[in-house]
Amino acid sequence: MDVALLVQYGPAILSGLLMTVQVCVLAGILAVSLALPVSLAVSSPLWLLRVAARTYIEIMRGTPVLIVLFLLYYGGPSIGVRLDALPAGVLGLGCYGAAFFAEIFRAGFQSIPKGQIEAARMVGMTNLQIMRQIKVPQMLALILPPGTNQFIILVKESALLSIITVAELTKTATQMANETFAVVEPYLVIALLYWLFIEIIAQTAAKIEERIRWQG
Amino acid sequence: MSARTAEPMPAGAQSGMTARPPEAKPALQPMIVAKGLRKSFGARQVLHDVDLTVLPSEVVCIIGPSGSGKSTVLRCLAFLERYDDGTVHIEGDLLGYHEVGSRRMPASDRRVDQVRASLGMVFQHFHLWPHMTALANVTTALRVVKRMPRTEAEAQGRAMLAKVGLADRADAYPAALSGGQKQRVAIARALAMQPKAMLFDEPTSALDPELVGEVLAVMKHLAAEGMTMVVVTHEMGFAAHVADRVVFMDAGRIIEQGPPSELFSNPKSERLQQFLATWRERSL
C-alpha cells in the first residue's frame, strides 16, 4: 500500500468525492420531483396521462442506465441536444431514478386507506388539501425505507458517469490507476468513500424514520 | 286498478313528528330529503326507490340485516356513494348533481362540498388520520378548510375533545387510543365543523363490547342537545331509547318505519317480526 500515492492524489480524490455527492444530490432531487407527478399520472383518471406515465416507467425500467447515459450524451447531439457531461449525467441518472421512485410513491399512495380520504372529504377538504394534509405526509413516512434504498442504488449507479467523462470518484480512481499503474490503492480508497457516503445516508434515514413514528 | 291500496304508510311516521313539542320555528324545512334513491353495484341493485325525510333535530335510526342497504343509503346521503337515480336534497339543495332543464349533470366537487358542508359523518372504522394527534385530527379542517388561525382552531378543537370527554388525550396519536376513544375523536372531528346534521355509519360495530357505552353516551348527549342525526346501527337499545323514528330496511327497501315504541312492540311486516325475533333470541 503506497501511502505517498494517496497523499499525492488526495486533492483529486476529494474533488471526485465532492462531484459524486453533488451529482447524487442533484439527480436525487430531480428523480423525486419528477417521480411525484409521474406516480400521480399513473393512477390518473385521464387515459392519456396514465398511458404516458406507464410508458415512461416501463421504458426506463427496461433500459440499463448506462444506455440511457450513452443515448443522452453521445446520441443527444444527433437530435440537436448538446449537453455537457455533468448535466447529461444528472439528467440521465435523475430520469432513470424517477421511474423507480414513481413506483415507490404509487405503492405509498395506494396503501393509504380509502376511508381516511372519505373522512377528509366529509370535513370539506379539497383534493389538493387532501393531498397535502393526508396523503403526502403519510406517504413520505411509508416510502422512507424503500426510498432510501433507491437513493443508495442511485449513488452506486453514479459511478457509471465516469464513462461519460464526469470527473467523479470512479473517474478519478481510473485516471489515477492509468497514470500510476496502481490498482489496489485508488479503488480501495474510493470503495471506502462510497461506503462512508452511503452509511451516512442510511443512518440519517434511520434517524428520520425514528422521529416520524406515530405511536404515541 | 289505481284503487289498489299501496302498502299502508305506518301511521307512526306522521304521528311521531306531530307529537314532538311544538317549537317556535313553524313549518320546518326538512334537513334531508331523499326521494326514489336507486343504486346498483354492477348488475346488483342494492337500493330500490328509497324515500327518507329527516327533519331538523330528528334522530332517525336505520336498522336491518347486513346487506340490506342501510350503509349505502347513508353513504348516498353524504354522496360518498353516487346514487344512480332519485334525488337527495340537503336543506333544499340538490346533492351531487345539478339539473339543466330535465337532464342532470354531475355537480362539481366544489358544489358537492358546499352542499354537504352541513353534514358531519362518523364511520364504523373511525378513519382517523394516524399521522396526526387527536387534536390535529380535530383542528386540521378548521385551519385548512375554514382558514381559522391556529390558536383559535386549537381552542375550538380542545373544546370539542372536552365535549366527548377526551380533553386529556389531545396530544395522543390514534395508535395510542382505545377504539372507543378513537370513535369519540372522530365524533369531535366531525362536530368541529359545526354540521347541522350528523350521519353515523355503524359507529359502535367495530368496538369491543365494553367500549360501546362511552360512544353511545356521547351520541345520546348530542341527541339531547337537538342535533339532527341519522344513525345506521345494530344497537336496538339505542334505537329504542334515543330515536324519534326507526327505519327498518331489508333487501334495499324501506319496509317499515315509525316511532320506536310502535315499531318494536307492534311490527307490522313479517320481515321485521322475524328480524326482531332473531335479535331477541340472540340477546338472551
Side-chain angles (χ1 to χ4, degrees):
Chain A
M1 188 84 166
D2 191 344
V3 178
L5 199 67
L6 292 179
V7 174
Q8 186 198 335
Y9 276 89
I13 291 171
L14 192 68
S15 90
L17 177 64
L18 289 179
M19 180 59 88
T20 288
V21 173
Q22 189 190 341
V23 163
C24 291
V25 169
L26 290 177
I29 291 171
L30 177 65
V32 169
S33 30
L34 199 59
L36 194 64
V38 171
S39 69
L40 292 175
V42 166
S43 41
S44 158
L46 298 174
W47 175 87
L48 195 66
L49 273 180
R50 238 176 16 241
V51 171
R54 223 340 105 206
T55 309
Y56 175 81
I57 291 175
E58 294 309 329
I59 288 178
M60 282 299 176
R61 275 206 309 200
T63 317
V65 64
L66 185 60
I67 307 303
V68 174
L69 291 171
F70 275 167
L71 283 174
L72 252 178
Y73 187 59
Y74 296 115
S78 66
I79 54 161
V81 183
R82 243 166 264 276
L83 288 171
D84 284 341
L86 178 61
V90 168
L91 195 65
L93 208 54
C95 291
Y96 180 78
F100 292 87
F101 276 110
E103 285 293 83
I104 293 173
F105 286 4
R106 188 177 60 85
F109 279 130
Q110 278 177 350
S111 60
I112 296 169
K114 204 170 134 251
Q116 283 187 33
I117 311 303
E118 290 183 345
R121 284 253 136 78
M122 286 308 294
V123 290
M125 287 193 212
T126 62
N127 285 331
L128 208 66
Q129 287 165 341
I130 292 173
M131 183 60 65
R132 243 186 65 69
Q133 303 291 334
I134 313 298
K135 287 186 180 171
V136 170
Q138 291 191 67
M139 192 199 65
L140 287 179
L142 288 166
I143 64 161
L144 193 64
T148 305
N149 249 340
Q150 195 56 48
F151 186 62
I152 288 172
I153 292 172
L154 185 144
V155 170
K156 296 187 181 186
E157 281 167 344
S158 75
L160 291 171
L161 266 59
S162 62
I163 298 174
I164 60 164
T165 74
V166 176
E168 44 68 78
L169 259 188
T170 304
K171 178 78 181 159
T172 310
T174 309
Q175 212 160 353
M176 196 173 150
N178 288 344
E179 286 167 16
T180 63
F181 304 108
V183 175
V184 176
E185 287 88 350
Y187 290 114
L188 195 62
V189 167
I190 69 161
L192 273 170
L193 290 175
Y194 275 117
W195 172 80
L196 193 71
F197 182 26
I198 286 167
E199 198 55 26
I200 290 170
I201 294 166
Q203 293 300 330
T204 310
K207 285 236 168 60
I208 298 173
E209 210 176 318
E210 211 162 285
R211 279 189 54 181
I212 57 176
R213 208 165 280 159
W214 307 310
Q215 275 72 11
Chain B
M1 44 190 197
S2 58
R4 281 178 70 97
T5 41
E7 193 179 71
M9 180 75 177
Q14 266 79 35
S15 67
M17 292 168 200
T18 46
R20 293 171 68 79
E23 283 164 50
K25 21 184 179 173
L28 289 173
Q29 185 192 27
M31 192 69 217
I32 301 171
V33 181
K35 277 214 178 96
L37 279 191
R38 284 187 202 170
K39 170 78 190 168
S40 301
F41 291 117
R44 195 167 54 94
Q45 189 167 356
V46 290
L47 296 183
H48 303 264
D49 296 303
V50 170
D51 295 332
L52 185 67
T53 299
V54 182
L55 297 178
S57 290
E58 201 179 7
V59 177
V60 175
C61 283
I62 305 179
I63 61 171
S66 309
S68 57
K70 324 183 279 295
S71 288
T72 308
V73 169
L74 200 73
R75 290 172 59 80
C76 284
L77 296 184
F79 209 63
L80 289 175
E81 220 62 80
R82 188 174 284 272
Y83 49 93
D84 302 330
D85 214 340
T87 54
V88 174
H89 285 86
I90 309 293
E91 290 188 296
D93 292 323
L94 181 62
L95 176 65
Y97 296 96
H98 64 95
E99 269 157 351
V100 189
S102 60
R103 291 185 44 190
R104 73 178 187 184
M105 318 276 277
S108 65
D109 286 357
R110 219 184 122 86
R111 178 63 185 157
V112 172
D113 283 345
Q114 263 172 15
V115 176
R116 81 176 155 201
S118 42
L119 300 180
M121 180 129 177
V122 173
F123 302 86
Q124 180 177 0
H125 296 286
F126 332 126
H127 299 319
L128 292 182
W129 303 309
H131 59 300
M132 297 181 187
T133 61
L135 184 62
N137 265 279
V138 179
T139 56
T140 298
L142 289 176
R143 289 195 298 103
V144 305
V145 178
K146 294 204 168 173
R147 302 190 185 287
M148 202 180 267
R150 180 179 289 269
T151 47
E152 199 183 324
E154 288 191 349
Q156 197 161 319
R158 282 181 200 282
M160 286 303 150
L161 286 174
K163 194 180 165 85
V164 298
L166 288 173
D168 55 332
R169 302 297 276 150
D171 297 319
Y173 283 87
L177 300 174
S178 72
Q181 289 174 330
K182 281 183 200 165
Q183 194 59 299
R184 287 188 282 153
V185 172
I187 293 174
R189 172 175 69 180
L191 287 177
M193 299 305 282
Q194 298 183 310
K196 294 181 182 159
M198 289 279 283
L199 310 179
F200 293 85
D201 189 3
E202 303 202 26
T204 57
S205 299
L207 298 176
D208 288 342
E210 70 267 27
L211 301 177
V212 168
E214 62 189 69
V215 172
L216 291 183
V218 168
M219 291 169 62
K220 260 181 215 168
H221 188 71
L222 267 182
E225 282 181 347
M227 176 60 80
T228 310
M229 293 163 65
V230 183
V231 187
V232 169
T233 187
H234 292 292
E235 292 293 329
M236 296 301 164
F238 179 82
H241 292 114
V242 184
D244 297 308
R245 183 153 49 103
V246 176
V247 172
F248 173 66
M249 284 190 70
D250 187 37
R253 290 188 170 81
I254 292 181
I255 306 291
E256 202 171 335
Q257 56 180 313
S261 53
E262 208 158 301
L263 207 81
F264 288 133
S265 57
N266 186 20
K268 294 188 179 64
S269 65
E270 198 182 328
R271 194 63 196 84
L272 178 55
Q273 287 165 8
Q274 268 171 16
F275 179 76
L276 291 175
T278 320
W279 176 75
R280 287 203 183 92
E281 237 168 71
R282 245 189 310 144
S283 52
L284 274 180

